[in-house]
Each structure stands twice: as structure tokens, then as C-alpha cells.
Amino acid sequence: MADDYVRRTAITRLEVTDEQRDLLEDTISEWKRGCQIAADMAWGRCNAKSDVQPLAYDTVRDHTDLSSQHAILATHQAAQAITGCIERRSKDKKASKPTFTAPTVKYDTRTMTLFDDDTVSLSTTESRVRCPLALPEADDGYQRQYLDSDSWSVTESTLTARDGDYFLHIGFRRHKTDIERNTAEDGTVLGVDLGIENLAVTSTAYFFSGQELTHDLHEFEKVRAGLQQTGTRSAHRTLEQSSGRELRYVRDVLHRASNGIVAEAFQYNCDVIAFEDLTHIRDRTGASWGHKWAFRTLYEQVEYKAEAEGIAVKQVGSAYTSKRCAECGFTAEENRPTRTDFRCVRCESEANADYNAAKNIGMRYVRRGQQSSRRTGDSQLALKSGTVTPNGGFTAYPDGFEAEFTDKPHPPQANPSG
């Protein structure tokens, strides 16, 4: 059954005392332990919340200091993680038993209370703590549109520890309007093109350069090849250390890129992020194995983070998206004179080749809705200046849209758990 709610997340830092810090740290530690206990018990046996909870609840309560409600939430978190592993395995991906290492803990309306004085009360392993929300001084911070609105209600939230600070990812939801409910599979689409020169480019002209990543992947590859050729035990140890550094670096780059894509979708109020089908991306881009892995990982990170914002992530066929003119639709090899340039030989429009491809990818998803029985065909593509429909209908954004978002902090960016 389709979700009848629009969901958003607002992130704010908490102002905590040393005593509160110790309680929150202990709660996070016990939460991770409780989730792991539940996952260990349910792995290979069940994955539905209704099955994992009665199976593991008593054990979690007996072996942790979690409250009864947090013990229930821990079994639900384990069930969700196991379900994700099963889904990845069904797509021919490796999926081992989940492990819980992220410094986070889930809260719901029973374990967390927001107050009108911009403080929050949180359950811990001992007692409740009440902390001020470190909101922007100005009243126009993006969090205010949720905190001060009667149409948004608080739902499940996540506390995250990072670099000595604590951040509360407050979940909000509101009922969909009749229009939103009737176009659940439609809405505004953000197109995304992946490549070598630019790791990611969106239909709203957000560019994330891939040059640094490409250079460093090549350097890592050269170092790896040299160490493998040496073949000594010392070289093998150095290779393992180098591979670990490489993986951490690449994941950091992909983390920043995925945050940027989701932030762009949030800023332009997109309901769907459309990528090209990744199956043949290595052939299309001439990417190395490392790049292909990076593309896949970036997609999965965006999929995870966008889901937390209520934004769907889809793939569409990639045929001719790099050679088709996004303005007039003419497709020809000659339209792509270089890797970076697009010049239509028919209408003579010019654009960055990756930006042209991003618009084509997004519009392909929009057009697909016109043939789908599950959708109304009432979709539009998000551009930097406005939205466009398949029949050429253009709606410009209100004056000041760009300036408004330039002067405001980025929208919430979910962090992966586990």
C-alpha cells in the first residue's frame, strides 16, 4: 500500500551538558548492542517486525539497559536491516548479516518529546534528558517550516553522534493532498548523469567534478600494481593499508556527492531522482572497474539518503541520452563532437554534454509515465530556471528562488547507518 504521507527530516545540533553527554553516549552504546542481539537471533529465521519483536524483545531487555520502548525499536531496526540484506541478495549482491556500528539511536513519540521552547526531551538508559535545540538565530532557518507548522507532525527520529557533537534528525510527516495522492508515481523529476569528467551532473545544473577522483583512482591503481609485482610480505601489508585508505577516501567523495544530489532534489522539491540504467555504464563511459564500483556505490548512497527524505530513486534506459538533443530531440553521433561538448547539428543549441544527458535522463522518466498504467503522466522535469513537461510546457520558478536558496543552509542530509 502506498505511503499516504509526505515525509521530511530536519537536522539540528543539541546543546548538552557533560552529564547528558555521558547518558546519551551510554544509550547509543546499548542501542547498538540491542540491535545486534536482535539481528543475531533473527538472522536466517525471520525479518518481519511482527516476528522479530516477540523473538528477541525479552533477550534485548535482559542483556541491555534499554528501556522497554527502546528495546522494541531495536528489534524493529534489526528487522529493517535484515530485510535490506535480503533485498540486496535478491539483486545478486553480497549481503551478510547486519552489524551495527554507527553511533546512532532511534527515537519515536514515546521516547522523544519536542517542546514549544525549542527543547527536546529524550529517553536514555537511566532517565530523560532535556536539551535545547541549537537552531539558527534567524527565524527563517529551514527547520522552522516544520517546527512551527500545524500541518507537520513529529514521527520517528534519529540521534547521531559526530565529532563530539550530537545531532537530532527530526522526522516530520504530513498527509498528502489529493493531488499528491493521485500522482504518487509522478511529480517533479531530477535527472542525474554519471561520468568520468564530472562524477555527477543534474538537470538543475549541479556539477560534482570527477577529476580528482579519477586522478587518485589512477594513482592508487599504479601503487597497487607496483606492490603486487613486488610480492613481498611487507608489500602485502602495505597493499592492505593502501587499499583501506583508498576505500575510505573514495567513500568520502561519494558521500559528499550523494549528499549534494539529495540536497539538490530537496531544494527543487523533487519527488523522483532518475539515473540512467547502470548495467552498461562501463561500456558507455569507458570507466575502469573502480569507476563502475564508484557509480554503483554512489547510486546506492543516493537511494538510501533520498528514501529518508521521501524521494524515490529510479533508473531508466541510457540509450542515446548522450547523443540526443534535450532541446529539439534530434539524435546523431555528430551532436557529440568531444567528450565535454554537445552541439546539435539540427537546432544548433550548445550545452555541456553531461548536462544535456542529465536532462535527457530525467525527461525519459517523465515520458515513461505517459505509458504507465500506474501513473497519470503528470510529471515534470526540474531545471535550474523552472520545470518543463514533455509537450514543452515551461513553468518558471518564482523570482528570487535562486537567491533564497543561496542564502539558506543546505537541506537535511541523511547519513548512512551501519
Side-chain angles (χ1 to χ4, degrees):
M1 185 177 183
D3 193 347
D4 201 37
Y5 293 96
V6 176
R7 299 176 186 274
R8 291 292 182 263
T9 304
I11 301 177
T12 181
R13 184 175 60 82
L14 299 182
E15 296 178 354
V16 300
T17 64
D18 289 342
E19 182 181 358
Q20 291 172 336
R21 184 185 305 276
D22 291 341
L23 288 172
L24 292 175
E25 196 65 39
D26 187 57
T27 304
I28 289 173
S29 177
E30 291 297 285
W31 167 262
K32 290 189 291 185
R33 200 148 64 90
C35 291
Q36 195 63 60
I37 289 171
D40 290 345
M41 294 182 68
W43 182 250
R45 298 180 63 178
C46 56
N47 66 295
K49 291 180 181 179
S50 57
D51 293 329
V52 179
Q53 180 178 326
L55 173 70
Y57 171 79
D58 288 341
T59 306
V60 172
R61 284 284 281 155
D62 290 344
H63 291 83
T64 72
D65 294 328
L66 294 176
S67 66
S68 59
Q69 185 61 20
H70 257 143
I72 291 173
L73 292 176
T75 66
H76 292 177
Q77 182 73 9
Q80 181 181 334
I82 294 171
T83 299
C85 290
I86 293 172
E87 290 175 351
R88 285 193 293 274
R89 182 176 289 173
S90 69
K91 298 177 183 178
D92 297 326
K93 299 176 184 177
K94 293 181 180 179
S96 55
K97 183 177 67 176
T99 56
F100 297 87
T101 58
T104 64
V105 56
K106 286 288 178 70
Y107 281 89
D108 64 2
T109 54
R110 294 186 180 182
T111 52
M112 181 187 84
T113 305
L114 280 176
F115 295 97
D116 292 338
D117 63 354
D118 295 334
T119 62
V120 62
S121 172
L122 300 171
S123 293
T124 70
T125 50
E126 292 186 20
S127 60
R128 277 188 171 251
V129 297
R130 187 163 175 172
C131 315
L133 302 175
L135 295 166
E137 291 185 10
D139 290 336
D140 61 352
Y142 81 89
Q143 297 96 333
R144 286 293 177 196
Q145 63 185 296
Y146 308 115
L147 290 167
D148 297 343
S149 172
D150 292 334
S151 61
W152 291 96
S153 59
V154 178
T155 183
E156 191 171 274
S157 305
T158 303
L159 179 71
T160 299
R162 186 169 71 241
D163 299 328
D165 285 320
Y166 291 87
F167 296 86
L168 190 60
H169 298 233
I170 309 171
F172 291 90
R173 72 179 186 181
R174 65 165 171 80
H175 283 285
K176 289 179 179 176
T177 64
D178 289 340
I179 293 176
E180 290 170 328
R181 193 175 294 110
N182 292 334
T183 59
E185 292 290 331
D186 295 289
T188 303
V189 179
L190 181 74
V192 181
D193 178 69
L194 302 179
I196 306 299
E197 187 77 16
N198 293 298
L199 178 59
V201 178
T202 72
S203 58
T204 53
Y206 168 82
F207 285 74
F208 193 96
S209 175
Q211 293 181 351
E212 181 184 356
L213 177 64
T214 298
H215 173 267
D216 287 335
L217 281 175
H218 287 161
E219 290 300 311
F220 285 136
E221 190 62 38
K222 284 193 289 187
V223 170
R224 188 187 300 112
L227 291 170
Q228 287 175 334
Q229 190 172 12
T230 301
T232 64
R233 183 175 297 178
S234 175
H236 179 71
R237 284 197 301 269
T238 304
L239 176 61
E240 289 183 339
Q241 294 169 352
S242 174
S243 298
R245 286 194 299 270
E246 174 185 350
L247 184 61
R248 287 191 296 274
Y249 166 77
V250 173
R251 286 194 181 278
D252 178 66
V253 172
L254 299 178
H255 171 68
R256 286 186 278 118
S258 59
N259 277 350
I261 293 170
V262 175
E264 197 77 357
F266 189 94
Q267 172 175 324
Y268 287 88
N269 200 29
C270 295
D271 304 280
V272 178
I273 300 174
F275 285 80
E276 64 181 291
D277 188 331
L278 302 184
T279 306
H280 303 295
I281 194 169
R282 188 173 179 179
D283 296 332
R284 184 184 69 76
T285 62
S288 65
W289 178 89
H291 268 105
K292 184 178 179 182
W293 172 84
F295 293 149
R296 174 64 62 181
T297 303
L298 176 62
Y299 176 85
E300 291 174 349
Q301 286 188 4
V302 171
E303 188 176 35
Y304 174 88
K305 296 172 183 180
E307 183 181 87
E309 300 298 336
I311 301 170
V313 179
K314 305 290 184 180
Q315 292 187 32
V316 297
S318 59
Y320 307 114
T321 53
S322 63
K323 301 167 187 173
R324 181 184 187 278
C325 177
E327 301 300 321
C328 74
F330 182 67
T331 304
E333 290 278 353
E334 296 77 16
N335 285 350
R336 189 82 181 265
T338 68
R339 176 188 285 269
T340 59
D341 298 320
F342 187 93
R343 299 191 187 102
C344 180
V345 298
R346 173 175 288 180
C347 73
E348 299 184 347
S349 66
E350 299 183 10
N352 174 277
D354 297 332
Y355 177 48
N356 178 78
K359 291 194 286 185
N360 280 329
I361 290 166
M363 186 55 75
R364 181 159 292 178
Y365 181 84
V366 171
R367 286 197 178 93
R368 198 168 74 180
Q370 296 177 313
Q371 288 84 41
S372 172
S373 61
R374 295 181 295 105
R375 294 165 59 192
T376 66
D378 188 24
S379 294
Q380 55 192 2
L381 176 66
L383 304 176
K384 190 175 183 65
S385 54
T387 58
V388 64
T389 60
N391 61 10
F394 178 78
T395 303
Y397 296 126
D399 291 341
F401 177 86
E402 284 298 324
E404 175 188 355
F405 278 101
T406 299
D407 298 335
K408 288 188 176 181
H410 267 302
Q413 299 174 352
N415 291 317
S417 62

